Amino acid sequence: MGASAVVWFKRDLRLADHAPLREAARLGDAVALYVVEPAWVGSAECEAQHLEFARRQVLALRECLGRRGLPLLVRWGSLPEVLAGLRSAYPFTHLLSHEETGPQWSYDRDRAVARWCREAGVIWRQWPQKGVIRGLRERAGWAARWQGRMDARIEPAPARWRGAGGLPIGEWPDARIRQAGHGAARELPAAGEAAAHDTLASFLDVRGQRYRFDISSPSSAVRACSRLSAHLAFGALSVRQVHQATEARIAALQAVGDAEARSFAYHLRGFSARLRWHCHFMQKLESEPQIEWRNVARVCDGLREQAFDRERFDAWRTGNTGYPMVDACMRCLNATGWINFRMRAMLVSFAAYHLWLHWREPGLHLARQFLDFEPGIHWSQMQMQSGTTGINTLRMYSPARQHADHDPRSEFIRRWLPEYGTAAYVRPIVDERAALHLARQRLYTLRRTPEARREAAEVQRRHGSRRGGLPPTRRRAGAGRVRDADPAQRELPFDDAGRA
Ligand SMILES: Cc1cc2nc3c(=O)[nH]c(=O)nc-3n(C[C@H](O)[C@H](O)[C@H](O)COP(=O)(O)OP(=O)(O)OC[C@H]3O[C@@H](n4cnc5c(N)ncnc54)[C@H](O)[C@@H]3O)c2cc1C
């Protein structure tokens, strides 16, 4: 019997830079498969917007693959169940997919798939699609390996597959999704590979011109940021594609060499560094999946868990804390599914320090709101901004300072908080000075203990990156470049403008 393959799509919904698709064309007969998993649909992080965004991409991809002879089947169910059903009609020999760094349910699912493949005699091959390294014991050398992956040649997508015919194509399981309690999705940005490429092009051609200056204000960031995060999270673009397009653009701008081009290149280098952060933060969850629900620094266990105040949480979650910048950002996020990095950090800092809320519930709320929810980045950032990693300097954002710096005319606030400045606006739910004093006292007291210091060294070894891991050419490129290239070296604090 010849080889026959199933290409299993997950968060890699694209045709280009897709190793499993290339391997399927080489092997023999093939079908592609996307499974809407009850474990995802029912998870606390999943929202209607995520399902709808995935649906649009899967259907666009189905058309595109169909034109090249590869049917994309859609199924509802757990993976072993779906694979077993498919195999009874189509006796495939290989399952081909990308590695995924996801929440616990996806780890459990992967274990079940591995077991099923062993028992069924199916060969499961997985490829990395990011700079995340599976089975990594130590961070030393990570950055050089990231660089190697990002610079690897992008092979062209196959022109045709030998698609296996006669299998029911399967419709998107709308009724099941509704049964699981999901309503209509909010308005979404354009989805799919073509839309992702358009977004990248408009950023590299024009929008990125003032990137470093304009990404901190929630008003200017909407345009100045790349807005690629959801496309990267669902895999309409690979990090490698974005990296290579950015480096090519920087080289072209440098070749032009006038002041305007040099300035543009400088801004794009700030952006380029963030692609490394993407994988750097994901690596933490890959290496330690428990950080989804457990403190990175175990000395922080018990610090906030018992103090969870649901009224405060509800006020934060709905944008009713009486702190205008916090409330406007939350309402903007809840309405649109996106807010910039600085304001995400401020929202979490407010929950963690002003309201003394443990990060897990706020993290779930944000995960549902962020269209770009990426578990590895998300949980690592939640813990970093909440002060539970043991190694990052505590960064307590003042909402008033963020208001003065990034919305001095209160335009953003008035847009999202119509009652601002009227008697209808709620009074502050906590006293900022007292709350921050208490938070500092609790955390600094804890951090000074020998146990906390010992653990910090261990966390640094596991999750902090190293200067020495950078390739020599980049190390020579200057201190600023090195810091940008590897922001978490020694895990010093860094902000969204790339400053330590
Ligand atoms: C508490 C918190 C939770 C977050 N959760 C997520 C999440 O679930 N998914 C997500 O993609 N980003 C998350 N971020 C990081 C960051 O805020 C978003 O990536 C960014 O705002 C997305 O917009 P953009 O694509 O226009 O960003 P750009 O500024 O254009 O950045 C380009 C890309 O670089 C990566 N990136 C940028 N900043 C960071 C960062 N600080 N850490 C890691 N990668 C970064 C992202 O992939 C982003 O798409 C979180 C940040 C915080 C503080």
Side-chain angles (χ1 to χ4, degrees), residues 211 225-229 278 338 341 344 372 374 378 381:
Y211 179 77
C225 282
S226 71
R227 310 302 306 275
L228 287 170
S229 50
H278 178 106
W338 188 85
F341 171 77
R344 293 184 194 203
D372 60 31
E374 178 63 68
H378 189 68
Q381 282 286 352

Side-chain angles (χ1 to χ4, degrees), residues 75-138:
R75 297 287 185 270
W76 163 269
S78 76
L79 252 296
E81 203 176 276
V82 168
L83 292 173
L86 184 57
R87 196 144 193 264
S88 61
Y90 171 59
F92 57 95
T93 55
H94 289 69
L95 179 66
L96 312 174
S97 70
H98 277 122
E99 290 171 355
E100 183 177 355
T101 303
Q104 183 67 44
W105 67 261
S106 73
Y107 281 84
D108 295 343
R109 184 263 330 265
D110 282 357
R111 272 198 294 270
V113 169
R115 207 174 317 120
W116 182 86
C117 286
R118 258 194 321 275
E119 286 165 8
V122 166
I123 299 164
W124 181 18
R125 285 199 60 197
Q126 296 186 78
W127 286 260
Q129 65 159 340
K130 305 204 177 199
V132 177
I133 294 158
R134 191 150 276 187
L136 187 77
R137 293 240 170 85
E138 244 276 349

Side-chain angles (χ1 to χ4, degrees), residues 292-311:
E292 185 191 350
W293 66 82
R294 183 177 92 179
N295 290 318
V296 173
R298 305 302 303 279
V299 289
C300 294
D301 289 359
L303 199 60
R304 296 189 176 98
E305 285 82 340
Q306 302 310 319
F308 196 84
D309 183 324
R310 192 146 292 276
E311 266 182 39

Side-chain angles (χ1 to χ4, degrees), residues 483-494:
R483 188 168 59 217
D484 256 4
D486 207 354
Q489 26 104 7
R490 293 183 292 127
E491 289 283 345
L492 284 170
F494 61 94

Side-chain angles (χ1 to χ4, degrees), residues 153-170:
R153 193 177 117 82
I154 297 178
E155 304 291 339
R160 274 206 87 69
W161 285 267
R162 281 214 308 274
L167 296 163
I169 193 96

